Amino acid sequence: MLIVRPAEQHLPSYIAALETGWSSDSVRGAVAAREELQEIAADQQRFLLLMEDREAKGAPVTLPDGSTVPRLPGYTRWLWDGEFCGEINFRWQPGTTELPPTCLGHIGYAVVPWKRNKGYAKQALKQFLDEVRAEGLPFIEITTDTTNVASRRAIEANGGVLVEDFVKSLQLGGAEGLRFRIFFQ
């Protein structure tokens, strides 16, 4: 399994995953998948270009409660083993490790259900950290739900240190979460 830059040759497999109702947005799910399918149908090239949005030119981000917030600079990579397996993304505020309260972590990832339990999240995070390290932050934060044991294992296997148990704001779904830091040396 590799992480790849989203590209036209990968798009049919990504679309197929969205058509099942899968989305990397674990709270908005199928609604978010339909929105992405509409964006792709409207302009595939723009959709792919905004997967690398270091200047935050994309549309505002829709939160689980339906409100929107400005997009942060960021980029996405797709997990690929000959077909789309999931995605991993990085977002940040230039010049600081701080994130707005509406962004739970610097890195987020999701694996499609039919590719889970193969260690893909752990592998993707390891590969992605090499790229993210080049952004110059002393550490990154990643959060997961308290019940997501597989995600916790992937984070800890990549050096994640638990820094806090917390409850997400209602705007972000209100679930209990765990915040980890991975320090760059």
Side-chain angles (χ1 to χ4, degrees), residues 31 40 48 56 59 63 66-68 104 108 118 130 134 156 173 179 183:
V31 170
I40 294 167
L48 289 170
L63 300 177
S67 64
T68 60
L104 295 175
K118 296 181 179 222
D130 289 337
E156 290 174 337
R179 185 178 318 279
F183 294 89

Side-chain angles (χ1 to χ4, degrees), residues 113-132:
W114 54 94
K115 297 285 185 168
R116 291 183 184 152
N117 300 314
K118 296 181 179 222
Y120 284 5
K122 178 180 163 184
Q123 292 174 50
L125 184 55
K126 181 178 181 176
Q127 292 175 44
F128 199 52
L129 286 171
D130 289 337
E131 185 172 350
V132 168

Side-chain angles (χ1 to χ4, degrees), residues 74-128:
Y75 49 87
T76 297
R77 301 293 179 255
W78 286 346
L79 285 60
W80 191 259
D81 70 355
E83 64 183 11
F84 179 79
C85 304
E87 70 177 42
I88 189 165
N89 56 62
F90 174 66
R91 57 262 175 179
W92 77 102
Q93 293 189 116
T96 182
T97 58
E98 298 298 315
L99 292 168
T102 54
C103 183
L104 295 175
H106 292 98
I107 292 178
Y109 52 84
V111 177
V112 295
W114 54 94
K115 297 285 185 168
R116 291 183 184 152
N117 300 314
K118 296 181 179 222
Y120 284 5
K122 178 180 163 184
Q123 292 174 50
L125 184 55
K126 181 178 181 176
Q127 292 175 44
F128 199 52

Side-chain angles (χ1 to χ4, degrees), residues 6-23:
E8 198 168 329
Q9 69 263 28
H10 307 120
L11 199 53
S13 189
Y14 181 69
I15 290 169
L18 292 173
E19 287 174 338
T20 70
W22 174 86
S23 171

Side-chain angles (χ1 to χ4, degrees), residues 115-171:
K115 297 285 185 168
R116 291 183 184 152
N117 300 314
K118 296 181 179 222
Y120 284 5
K122 178 180 163 184
Q123 292 174 50
L125 184 55
K126 181 178 181 176
Q127 292 175 44
F128 199 52
L129 286 171
D130 289 337
E131 185 172 350
V132 168
R133 185 176 286 113
E135 299 300 336
L137 296 175
F139 64 86
I140 54 93
E141 292 186 340
I142 305 177
T143 65
T144 188
D145 291 343
T146 57
T147 57
N148 192 338
V149 175
S151 183
R152 182 176 182 157
R153 282 192 205 127
I155 296 165
E156 290 174 337
N158 281 285
V161 176
L162 181 64
V163 293
E164 137 179 79
D165 291 38
F166 69 101
V167 176
K168 298 174 191 174
S169 71
L170 291 178
Q171 192 177 25

Side-chain angles (χ1 to χ4, degrees), residues 49-71:
L49 283 172
L50 289 175
M51 294 281 107
E52 187 93 17
D53 190 7
R54 294 173 174 272
E55 296 175 5
K57 291 182 178 180
V61 174
T62 302
L63 300 177
D65 72 349
S67 64
T68 60
V69 295
R71 181 167 300 280

